[in-house]
């Protein structure tokens, strides 16, 4: 897995819009303490360079090759606020050599963000969930964690489970 954060270093737009940093990159062995520590250390501030973060996530995936199913999770309260179109970016990148399913968790997301997140997840066959409380967030994270554990199951079983939950 690779964990990347974006737009959280500064309230200054120019600095914040360039911010997309890989914090953790490791093979998962069931011990996710390093990942949990990285997530807990985040203090969100500034602008939201979502398009840049999606581009960088695709570059991370290119380095890993395309021999397995690629999944990108985005947790955000807003769409790109740096003047770029994340839907166009996602469309362009998903039609390149690397395919990725993009899932969004919207934290009390704006209407514009919700519209963009839905378009991106439709393009990539991902899911979009809005959460407004810690309890909902924990439920959605648990749901995605279960999906990741089942990623190597036959597609028919995954599809049946997805239909049942929806």
């Amino acid at each position: 897995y690779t964990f990347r954060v974006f737009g959280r270093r500064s309230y200054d737009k120019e600095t914040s819009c360039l911010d997309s940093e890989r914090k953790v990159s490791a093979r998962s062995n069931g011990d996710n303490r390093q990942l949990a520590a990285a997530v807990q250390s985040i203090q969100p501030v500034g602008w939201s360079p979502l398009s840049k973060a999606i581009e960088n996530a695709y570059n991370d995936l290119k380095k890993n090759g395309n021999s397995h199913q690629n999944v990108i999770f985005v947790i955000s309260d807003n769409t790109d606020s740096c003047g770029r179109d994340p839907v166009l970016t996602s469309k362009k990148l998903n039609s390149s050599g690397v395919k990725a399913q993009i899932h969004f968790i919207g934290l009390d997301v704006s209407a514009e963000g919700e519209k963009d997140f839905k378009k991106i997840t439709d393009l990539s066959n991902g899911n979009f969930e809005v959460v407004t409380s810690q309890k909902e967030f924990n439920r959605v994270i648990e749901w995605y964690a279960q999906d990741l554990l089942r990623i190597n199951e036959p597609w028919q079983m995954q599809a049946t489970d997805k239909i049942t939950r929806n």
Side-chain angles (χ1 to χ4, degrees):
Y1 63 84
T2 298
F3 176 66
R4 177 173 289 283
V5 294
F6 61 95
R8 51 93 188 112
R9 288 188 186 191
S10 168
Y11 285 106
D12 175 64
K13 184 175 182 179
E14 186 175 331
T15 303
S16 192
C17 285
L18 296 175
D19 182 26
S20 175
E21 179 186 9
R22 185 171 43 194
K23 296 286 278 182
V24 178
S25 188
R27 292 202 182 276
S28 182
N29 60 1
D31 181 5
N32 293 321
R33 285 180 285 188
Q34 186 182 15
L35 177 61
V39 170
Q40 291 173 357
S41 72
I42 297 172
Q43 296 296 318
V45 299
W47 298 76
S48 185
L50 180 58
S51 296
K52 180 172 182 51
I54 291 172
E55 283 177 353
N56 287 41
Y58 269 82
N59 288 333
D60 293 341
L61 293 173
K62 277 184 199 176
K63 292 175 189 171
N64 295 335
N66 209 16
S67 60
H68 44 283
Q69 185 174 349
N70 295 312
V71 180
I72 297 171
F73 289 94
V74 179
I75 302 171
S76 185
D77 65 345
N78 200 4
T79 188
D80 192 305
S81 60
C82 293
R84 296 186 55 202
D85 182 350
V87 177
L88 187 61
T89 299
S90 298
K91 190 181 291 188
K92 182 179 93 177
L93 291 170
N94 219 25
S95 65
S96 68
V98 177
K99 299 283 184 206
Q101 190 177 47
I102 302 175
H103 301 292
F104 277 91
I105 300 175
L107 305 174
D108 200 20
V109 69
S110 68
E112 182 184 4
E114 187 171 328
K115 187 176 89 176
D116 284 350
F117 295 171
K118 283 181 180 177
K119 286 180 183 176
I120 292 168
T121 56
D122 286 348
L123 287 168
S124 70
N125 197 30
N127 293 308
F128 170 58
E129 298 282 333
V130 175
V131 298
T132 56
S133 70
Q134 183 70 43
K135 184 178 179 180
E136 288 178 12
F137 181 76
N138 291 344
R139 177 189 56 81
V140 171
I141 290 293
E142 179 64 29
W143 183 61
Y144 282 126
Q146 292 300 317
D147 269 1
L148 287 175
L149 291 173
R150 299 179 67 196
I151 205 160
N152 290 321
E153 287 184 354
W155 70 267
Q156 297 92 335
M157 291 179 73
Q158 290 179 31
T160 302
D161 186 54
K162 187 174 181 178
I163 290 167
T164 302
R165 275 190 267 177
N166 289 337

